[in-house]
Amino acid sequence: MTRHPRTTTSTRTPKIPVQSVNGAAPPSRSLVEFAAYVDGTRVEAESIVEALALVRDHHEIHAPDAGARAFVWVGLHEPKAHEVEWLAKVFDLHPLAVEDAVNAHQRPKVERYGDSLFVVLKTLAFLDNADEGASSDIIAAGEIMAFVGRDFVVTVRHGEQCPLSEVRARLESKPELLGRGATGVLYAVADHVVDRYLHVADLMQQELEEVEATVFASVSSRDIGRIYQLKREMIDMKRAVTPLVAPLATLAQRRQIPSDMRDYFRDVVDHLTRVCEQVELSNELCNSVLQAALARSNALVNEDMRRITSWVAIMAVPTMIAGIYGMNFDHMPLLRSPYGYPVVLAVIVVVCALLYRGFRRNGWLGVKPPRA
């Protein structure tokens, strides 16, 4: 990597000084990666403070209005409170945003604090190893918080989903986008998260189609439980995706976003709108599948009851006749006749055969009626 030279003139002081940091230690275990980027090129630094000083020295020499874009990108994963507070002192972050970044479990939003933005994005991941049982989770959720200033980006990730190493590598391979500054990183992160939404929505659609295909084949309590699980996951996905549309739509109009980056954010909003529509359609399909499964289950129960009732009616004939002739009376028809026993058996067989034929024609015995 090429190291950007630091300015050594003693009479020059940065226009935006690096904050002095006392007390708390810098992030260690939660720190994923950090680097300075100058005009689309990565510049290594020994510490976050040094990287920020390098960037601001560069801005002093090359005015941003002349096209110089330099910033620091710090990536954290589930940091502790004192680690984010240390960064807050370095980058002058708002305490309310810092509190949200530490606690997580925030709604998707875009907020402005002075000249910086605080963005919260929900991340989603489809679990390939999900069990077929109704109690298993299908979608795992996480969060990405981004502090975006003129010369810095701090991303805080909660959960194991949607790592940003792929985004950083892709940006470093495209200096033209990385050279657009901190808002270029924000666009890449938002685009990556929304692309994951599309992927998860497609997989959920496939899952729904598979369940729908089995509804009319065989339905059990397990099938209905699986459909209900899909319904619950759809609601969770809707909560993550839908609230983000309005903040991202207004983000392109904020003065912190350069005019040459606004079309990029509009493209992300278009993709997000498509995801919302797909989630809404899948949710409606899930409702229809659940209703069809319940109706089909009730129909199968009715068929079982008719089948049981039909066989009980057939077996009631010999039971009734045998019960009558089992009574201890001296005078009964055919009791002393040599033909009494075969006649009674013949009557039982004929009546049972007639009942079987009638029930079969009506389809009550679970056997298809003979073709006419």
Side-chain angles (χ1 to χ4, degrees), residues 45-341:
E46 295 182 359
S47 66
I48 297 175
V49 175
E50 180 184 347
L52 185 59
L54 187 152
V55 165
R56 290 178 176 176
D57 283 350
H58 180 83
H59 278 165
E60 182 188 3
I61 299 173
H62 306 282
D65 296 338
R69 299 285 179 88
F71 63 94
V72 179
W73 183 3
V74 180
L76 304 176
H77 179 235
E78 297 183 350
K80 302 297 183 181
H82 70 273
E83 295 175 330
V84 182
E85 290 170 358
W86 185 88
L87 287 174
K89 295 178 181 179
V90 174
F91 296 103
D92 193 20
L93 305 179
H94 197 278
L96 292 179
V98 170
E99 182 181 356
D100 289 344
V102 173
N103 295 332
H105 303 294
Q106 305 295 320
R107 284 176 55 85
K109 60 183 178 180
V110 177
E111 295 181 345
R112 181 175 65 88
Y113 295 99
D115 293 330
S116 63
L117 294 174
F118 177 64
V119 183
V120 178
L121 305 172
K122 288 285 187 180
T123 59
L124 300 175
F126 190 88
L127 301 181
D128 294 333
N129 58 345
D131 236 349
E132 293 298 326
S135 61
S136 63
D137 290 331
I138 303 174
I139 295 178
E143 294 179 32
I144 292 179
M145 286 86 161
F147 300 88
V148 183
R150 192 195 68 159
D151 52 12
F152 67 87
V153 178
V154 178
T155 54
V156 179
R157 185 167 60 92
H158 291 270
E160 300 299 329
Q161 301 76 32
C162 203
L164 298 179
S165 55
E166 178 183 345
V167 178
R168 189 185 290 264
R170 186 170 69 249
L171 280 175
E172 290 179 355
S173 66
K174 296 180 179 180
E176 65 279 2
L177 183 58
L178 195 60
R180 294 179 183 272
T183 53
V185 175
L186 178 60
Y187 156 74
V189 172
D191 185 62
H192 181 66
V193 171
V194 173
D195 286 344
R196 285 295 187 94
Y197 289 166
L198 285 170
H199 179 65
V200 172
D202 290 339
L203 292 177
M204 287 293 291
Q205 182 70 23
Q206 295 176 13
E207 191 81 10
L208 273 173
E209 290 174 356
E210 292 176 1
V211 173
E212 183 184 19
T214 63
V215 165
F216 294 99
S218 60
V219 174
S220 64
S221 60
R222 184 178 180 182
D223 295 324
I224 296 177
R226 184 64 172 174
I227 297 171
Y228 179 78
Q229 177 70 14
L230 289 173
K231 171 67 176 176
R232 191 180 70 178
E233 298 289 351
M234 278 294 176
I235 294 176
D236 292 340
M237 188 174 180
K238 189 175 181 180
R239 289 174 180 172
V241 174
T242 304
L244 188 59
V245 177
L248 277 186
T250 58
L251 181 61
Q253 308 300 325
R254 293 181 179 271
R255 61 181 181 86
Q256 288 87 353
I257 304 300
S259 57
D260 58 347
M261 288 298 301
R262 292 178 180 177
D263 289 338
Y264 289 87
F265 285 98
R266 292 191 187 100
D267 182 67
V268 175
V269 174
D270 290 340
H271 291 174
L272 183 61
T273 303
R274 175 189 164 191
V275 174
C276 292
E277 293 174 353
Q278 187 170 348
V279 170
E280 189 65 31
L281 291 175
S282 297
N283 190 36
E284 294 178 1
L285 176 61
C286 192
N287 288 335
S288 301
V289 171
L290 181 58
Q291 293 175 2
L294 292 174
R296 179 60 176 162
S297 180
N298 292 333
L300 291 178
V301 171
N302 292 335
E303 290 179 6
D304 291 340
M305 292 300 298
R306 286 186 299 180
R307 188 180 300 113
I308 294 172
T309 303
S310 300
W311 285 110
V312 169
I314 293 174
M315 296 303 297
V317 174
T319 301
M320 179 186 66
I321 295 177
I324 291 175
Y325 276 88
M327 293 186 293
N328 297 323
F329 292 106
D330 293 333
H331 303 284
M332 294 182 67
L334 302 175
L335 188 62
R336 302 296 179 183
S337 173
Y339 303 103
Y341 182 69

